[in-house]
Amino acid sequence: MQASWTVDDVRHGYRGRVVAIGGPKHSGKSVFISTLYQQLLAHHPNEVFREAACPDGEGMWSAESDPAIVAKIRQKGQFSPEFVNHTLSSIESLGKRFPLLLVDLGGLRTAENAEILKRCTHLIILSSVPAEIILWQQFAASEGCETIACLDSVQIKLESCELDDSVRSTVDTMTLPVTGQLFNLDREGSSDTYQAAVNRLAHWLWDVSMQ
């Protein structure tokens, strides 16, 4: 679902791509975004930036901390005019500085997120609810933001109800939008279940951003 920009669209002035990551709540977006960002930073340390555009109290610190501690100290905030205005200004400024900017959009299709998408060039959808994917595509397209990846987030568990660490995620970068299944995006599980697939996606995202 391709989108187009108006002549005076701020996105024409960006240095490269501003890629939002969105999708419904409880899809493992925080784990996914942190892993994707770390993979990109490892190869392009001065060329990639991550902007938290959702007032949920999360960031890189939550991915690198003990899950029990994160659950205790994380505070989910609410969108305020001040937060939204600051976020929109930051995205516009950072988009002119970095060839690749990742924007953590959050999990609701709100008016605030519509304004954020209006400043993003592309969207990666991560969803634990398949029916939500088309809704997010339409939501982004209405703001001139093209969806470049639609990823299913799936939890695979053993009979003991523990996460199955033997499963491996897959992504198909030969399609557009990119498709794939990411398994067990959970701080309690092993990153082996999704690390290689996210790494492949990171390489692909950087390559297409440089075209």
Side-chain angles (χ1 to χ4, degrees), residues 68-102:
I69 296 176
V70 172
K72 288 183 179 180
I73 66 176
R74 187 184 68 180
Q75 294 184 356
K76 287 183 175 293
Q78 299 292 327
F79 279 115
S80 66
E82 293 78 15
F83 178 86
V84 174
N85 289 334
H86 173 75
T87 298
L88 299 181
S89 177
S90 293
I91 292 172
E92 293 178 12
S93 176
L94 292 168
K96 296 174 183 178
R97 291 175 52 193
F98 292 92
L100 181 57
L101 174 64
L102 301 181

Side-chain angles (χ1 to χ4, degrees), residues 40 44 47-48 99-100 201-210:
L40 288 163
H44 315 285
E47 306 296 320
V48 183
L100 181 57
L201 182 67
H203 283 292
W204 172 84
L205 182 58
W206 177 261
D207 288 344
V208 297
S209 297
M210 295 302 102

Side-chain angles (χ1 to χ4, degrees), residues 143-192:
E143 303 304 333
C145 183
E146 179 185 357
T147 297
I148 55 171
C150 299
L151 306 172
D152 294 312
S153 178
V154 183
Q155 284 204 345
I156 306 295
K157 295 187 177 182
L158 302 168
E159 291 185 3
S160 62
C161 292
E162 295 180 343
L163 294 172
D164 185 351
D165 291 341
S166 69
V167 296
R168 294 294 180 267
S169 303
T170 60
V171 292
D172 182 1
T173 58
M174 300 304 292
T175 64
L176 194 61
V178 166
T179 58
Q181 282 192 321
L182 298 183
F183 296 130
N184 299 346
L185 290 166
D186 194 300
R187 297 186 186 94
E188 300 288 347
S190 170
S191 63
D192 291 342

Side-chain angles (χ1 to χ4, degrees), residues 35-139:
T35 305
L36 179 65
Y37 186 45
Q38 288 168 347
Q39 296 279 12
L40 288 163
L41 279 180
H43 299 283
H44 315 285
N46 300 313
E47 306 296 320
V48 183
F49 194 83
R50 172 188 174 183
E51 174 72 2
C54 182
D56 63 0
E58 292 199 42
M60 288 302 293
W61 70 271
S62 64
E64 297 170 352
S65 305
D66 184 285
I69 296 176
V70 172
K72 288 183 179 180
I73 66 176
R74 187 184 68 180
Q75 294 184 356
K76 287 183 175 293
Q78 299 292 327
F79 279 115
S80 66
E82 293 78 15
F83 178 86
V84 174
N85 289 334
H86 173 75
T87 298
L88 299 181
S89 177
S90 293
I91 292 172
E92 293 178 12
S93 176
L94 292 168
K96 296 174 183 178
R97 291 175 52 193
F98 292 92
L100 181 57
L101 174 64
L102 301 181
V103 177
D104 184 352
L105 191 62
L108 296 173
R109 296 187 299 277
T110 62
E112 293 87 355
N113 279 335
E115 287 299 316
I116 292 169
L117 281 172
K118 194 177 292 183
R119 274 84 176 170
C120 297
T121 61
H122 299 87
L123 172 67
I124 293 174
I125 300 171
L126 178 68
S127 179
S128 58
V129 184
E132 283 280 315
I133 290 179
I134 185 63
L135 300 178
W136 278 88
Q137 283 184 280
Q138 293 169 345
F139 181 53

